[in-house]
Amino acid sequence: MKITKALLLTALLSTTSIAQDNFKTPASVKADFEGFAERLNSRSQLHRDMQALAEKLLKTEGHNLDTKMRLLALTGQFDEALKALAEIRANQDTSAYPANPFLTLQQELFFKTKIREQQTGESFETAFRHVYEAIFRTLNNKEAHKASYYMGYSLEQGIPYMKFVFGRVAGSDELSSKDAASLLYNYQDYYVYNAVIPASKTLQEEDIDRRYITDRNVLIKTPEGITLSAVVVRPRGVAEPMPAALNFTIYNVPDSNLREALNAAAHGYAGVIADARGKRLSTDEIRPYETEHKDANAVVDWISKQSWNNGEVAMYGGSYNGFAAWAAAKHAHPALKTIVPYVAAIPGYGLPMENNISISANYAWPFYVANNRDLDFDLYFDNARWGGLNTKWFESGRPYREYDAVDGLTNPWFQKWLDHPAYDEYWQAMVPYKNDYKNINIPVLSITGYYDDGQISALRYLNDHHTYNENADHYLIIGPYDHWSAQGTQRKNLRGIELDQSAFINVPEITFEWMDHILKGAPKPALVKNKVNYQVMGADTWKHVPSLAEMNADTVRYYLNTESSGEHHTLSTHRETKTGNVLQTVDYTDRKTQNNASYPWPIIRDQLETFGGKVFLTDTFGEDMELSGQFSGKLDIRMNKKDVDLAVTLYEILPNGKFIHLASYMGRASYAADETKRHLLTPGEIESIEFNRTRMVSKRIAEGSRIAAIVNVNKNVIAQVNYGTGKDVSLESIKDAGEPLKLEWQNSSYLNLPIKPLK
């Protein structure tokens, strides 16, 4: 279980509604934090102080059961703590997630070990072995793998958080009940982890060896002579050849990757985690994105020739790993029977460019994956370095080519990718392109989210597959998820908006249900009822339709009228009879303000931030509506520059005055007609910019709501600045700004919104 900010903040927020007595802050809490882990033993002054504080706090009222359990444990009342744990499990909130019999397994192991230790006089290690084996030997492979997840907590990564916990109170002489409870909650958690995690290491390995045949250092030679490394895990006791589940990754995190291979084996597959070229045991050159289509295909071929494989391989994974599955599919190897890509990237389309605009969100990623055979955690997670770099570059006015010069560390991959501003043959070679899809006749299940940064890539795969292959057997699951939750780590609250109960799905389980359906004849996952399966936010329901094209065809045309609606303009189904326009002026020399900085975080806002854009509002809807699909449109513009980066963002304005981010578009005008070739605009002439490469959303638009469309120019810290000279945008600087951009939004412009009454 990886330690996460969200998980840890839960601990801080789980101690509410308790009496507000004050307690003296123990001196040991204020001590130097160095050597903290070594001081976590029952004989230390720190632990004695925590016990004493727990005894005092336990006498007060109002503790929730989670906190009470930890206080009981700190005071040595392990039988009572175990009863509290049983009650916590019995009263789990299953409205979003199924009941978890292994909830806080570390605590159970610790409590039972301490009880046995007291009863038998055994050492902690001996007692722990008995308790651990008594639990794990009763579990099947799936159950044991799920249980072992709780043994994956990183003590090292937890130290900075514990410093934060202690630092919050170290400067105070007194603690409120709430602060004392928070301190003890987190201390007891870490104290238990510090005892249980090391003690479980050998036992986990023994349990894995009992259940699986594991080879962690497989070397695979490709036809090019490249050496790739892999981990292969197979369940013991299976005599017949079996299908393989392959996850191809550039992220060399040995423990996590082994766990993923074990998960596949626990589901009845030969689990294979293959490392990208140059990673882990490979000594070849690291070439992110460029060779995956060949290398992943070579791994599929290698698997198909192993005695333990039945000639069937399924690929799956998220983000880069999802891209790798598509890259392999480009070659249509006969052994590759299905792929399940989540939030899959398309290099050159979704990143490091979006609709031909270079964006900075992944700027540090090449350092992370290409600096060494592992991962460069130190540099990648140097928040002080990256935190203000985009603003520093933006304010400097220097060319985007000099972004790394502003930082002071050369980024060769960044520079190479800037050499390809069009979606040219360099990018096209990496994934299926046009007629490549004719050969991809395997079933595909894509998973993405409305707020996934790379959603346009996932939808591009889907649309192109159906466009170039009339027999495409491609399915989509999409809901209110972001890049992480669409891969399985969902939360009840996504960036400030509460999700419906029906929105909670188990992506890893759906993945193996799909593989079982394709490779073993099992039923489809229950959620997959048609080709496109989407959750309607706010309506707490899923809908299922034959195609995305069918959803997008059912639209209402709204014109950008000049007529005023308060301080804004109208978005109307009726086009104005008189020709007119709305003027927007953008000064590219202005580095104090940004245009189109409306990233959907949070998703719900108290006020509409226009970031210099022009706002067009619909009338109030008289009934509940459903906005489902991708919006598109035509922007008729006249301006005094040869090019411009355009943006459109949609919001729902709720009756209570709050604003919900719905969907967006961002793209370079000169590439709107053809992403592979630039066509500059003519200053002073009205140009029509048609667009459809937008983000999809599905949401109930409540009666009494309105929709706001903000049309804007993209000028902000997270992307190139297109000064409109017609030169390579990466070479333009503030010196090329010239006179301010004067852009007229013509009232012949329109948006096609996929909206209809909610049924």
Side-chain angles (χ1 to χ4, degrees), residues 90-366:
N91 295 317
Q92 289 180 63
D93 178 6
T94 59
S95 60
Y97 301 102
N100 181 2
F102 308 113
L103 190 68
T104 59
L105 176 64
Q106 307 99 324
Q107 300 283 353
E108 178 185 1
L109 287 166
F110 185 79
F111 299 160
K112 288 182 175 179
T113 298
K114 297 302 289 185
I115 291 170
R116 182 182 176 95
E117 195 180 12
Q118 293 169 354
Q119 292 173 342
T120 65
E122 296 171 343
S123 67
F124 182 89
E125 291 73 16
T126 301
F128 185 83
R129 174 177 284 275
H130 284 293
V131 170
Y132 185 97
E133 290 180 345
I135 292 175
F136 273 79
R137 286 189 177 274
T138 65
L139 305 178
N140 63 33
N141 285 358
K142 282 187 183 180
E143 292 169 337
H145 182 75
K146 185 175 182 180
S148 69
Y149 169 84
Y150 291 92
M151 299 297 104
Y153 180 94
S154 171
L155 293 170
E156 182 180 354
Q157 291 182 39
I159 287 289
Y161 177 72
M162 293 307 296
K163 286 185 178 180
F164 165 72
V165 169
F166 275 69
R168 290 175 71 243
V169 299
S172 303
D173 292 330
E174 288 190 337
L175 298 173
S176 68
S177 295
K178 184 176 181 179
D179 284 342
S182 174
L183 176 67
L184 291 169
Y185 185 109
N186 285 280
Y187 172 81
Q188 192 272 346
D189 254 3
Y190 196 88
Y191 182 80
V192 167
Y193 296 152
N194 195 57
V196 167
I197 301 303
S200 70
K201 292 294 185 185
T202 300
L203 299 178
Q204 286 185 75
E205 290 294 333
E206 291 175 1
D207 192 62
I208 288 171
D209 189 56
R210 181 172 65 87
R211 297 175 187 273
Y212 306 104
I213 301 168
T214 304
D215 191 341
R216 308 184 190 197
N217 298 308
V218 175
L219 296 179
I220 301 170
K221 206 76 170 178
T222 77
E224 286 186 295
I226 300 299
T227 300
L228 305 175
S229 59
V231 173
V232 178
V233 179
R234 296 179 285 132
R236 289 191 182 276
V238 179
E240 297 297 319
M242 63 194 324
L246 168 62
N247 198 312
F248 189 99
T249 185
I250 202 168
Y251 300 110
N252 179 23
V253 186
D255 288 347
S256 296
N257 290 348
L258 174 63
R259 189 169 299 281
E260 188 59 58
L262 287 166
N263 188 39
H267 282 83
Y269 292 86
V272 182
I273 305 296
D275 304 299
R277 183 180 299 200
K279 305 300 290 186
R280 202 162 69 95
L281 304 179
S282 171
T283 58
D284 296 288
E285 180 187 5
I286 301 170
R287 294 173 59 186
Y289 299 140
E290 293 186 345
T291 62
E292 281 76 0
H293 66 101
K294 293 182 287 187
D295 294 348
N297 184 65
V299 175
V300 172
D301 185 68
W302 177 85
I303 291 172
S304 70
K305 296 174 180 176
Q306 303 308 301
S307 60
W308 42 261
N309 182 245
N310 65 354
E312 297 181 335
V313 180
M315 287 190 72
Y316 70 105
S319 194
Y320 169 94
N321 301 9
F323 143 74
W326 275 112
K330 183 181 180 78
H331 295 284
H333 194 288
L336 186 60
K337 301 301 183 182
T338 188
I339 61 174
V340 188
Y342 339 127
V343 297
I346 296 182
Y349 178 74
L351 57 83
M353 300 189 297
E354 180 169 329
N355 289 325
N356 301 96
I357 300 174
S358 290
I359 53 180
S360 305
N362 294 93
Y363 173 77
W365 185 80

Side-chain angles (χ1 to χ4, degrees), residues 414-432:
F414 169 77
Q415 293 294 334
K416 186 171 187 177
W417 294 335
L418 288 180
D419 290 338
H420 301 275
Y423 190 68
D424 59 18
E425 292 179 356
Y426 174 75
W427 303 111
Q428 294 165 15
M430 298 177 183
V431 295

Side-chain angles (χ1 to χ4, degrees), residues 437-642:
Y437 286 100
K438 288 183 178 180
N439 299 318
I440 301 178
N441 295 309
I442 59 174
V444 177
L445 176 62
S446 290
I447 302 174
T448 187
Y450 303 141
Y451 299 100
D452 167 32
D453 294 345
Q455 186 214 95
I456 62 170
S457 292
L459 298 187
R460 169 73 175 263
Y461 284 121
L462 175 69
N463 284 322
D464 283 2
H465 198 183
H466 283 286
T467 297
Y468 296 102
N469 186 337
E470 61 182 12
N471 298 314
D473 193 18
H474 194 142
Y475 296 77
L476 174 70
I477 293 174
I478 186 169
Y481 317 123
D482 63 12
H483 195 68
W484 305 111
S485 59
Q487 300 181 62
T489 54
Q490 295 156 11
R491 299 172 291 277
K492 290 185 177 182
N493 184 295
L494 178 66
R495 302 184 189 178
I497 191 168
E498 293 293 323
L499 302 188
D500 300 327
Q501 179 178 333
S502 65
F504 292 91
I505 62 175
N506 189 326
V507 172
E509 285 305 310
I510 289 173
T511 298
F512 288 102
E513 287 173 4
W514 175 263
M515 291 184 192
D516 288 348
H517 167 61
I518 301 301
L519 302 178
K520 300 180 180 180
K524 282 181 185 174
L527 190 58
V528 183
K529 291 183 168 60
N530 214 322
K531 291 294 180 66
V532 176
N533 308 274
Y534 62 96
Q535 204 270 342
V536 186
M537 290 193 297
D540 200 13
T541 189
W542 284 84
K543 292 192 175 183
H544 316 271
V545 295
S547 71
L548 196 58
E550 183 174 309
M551 293 177 68
N552 296 336
D554 186 15
T555 61
V556 178
R557 181 161 293 178
Y558 285 86
Y559 289 91
L560 275 58
N561 286 346
T562 60
E563 179 185 0
S564 64
S565 175
E567 59 184 24
H568 302 305
H569 303 278
T570 60
L571 191 62
S572 175
T573 55
H574 301 288
R575 178 177 175 178
E576 292 175 322
T577 56
K578 185 178 180 181
T579 300
N581 63 73
V582 174
L583 176 65
Q584 181 177 2
T585 301
V586 178
D587 183 358
Y588 288 122
T589 66
D590 177 9
R591 288 299 189 264
K592 300 300 181 185
T593 59
Q594 300 181 57
N595 288 72
N596 190 43
S598 54
Y599 186 78
W601 197 315
I603 293 170
I604 186 167
R605 305 166 186 242
D606 291 329
Q607 61 184 21
L608 187 64
E609 297 179 81
T610 65
F611 293 101
K614 298 300 178 181
V615 182
F616 296 81
L617 304 174
T618 66
D619 289 335
T620 300
F621 292 103
E623 60 180 320
D624 283 355
M625 305 292 287
E626 178 189 334
L627 180 72
S628 291
Q630 291 174 278
F631 75 98
S632 60
K634 178 172 72 74
L635 299 175
D636 292 333
I637 61 174
R638 177 162 49 200
M639 61 180 186
N640 58 340
K641 305 279 185 180
K642 295 180 181 180

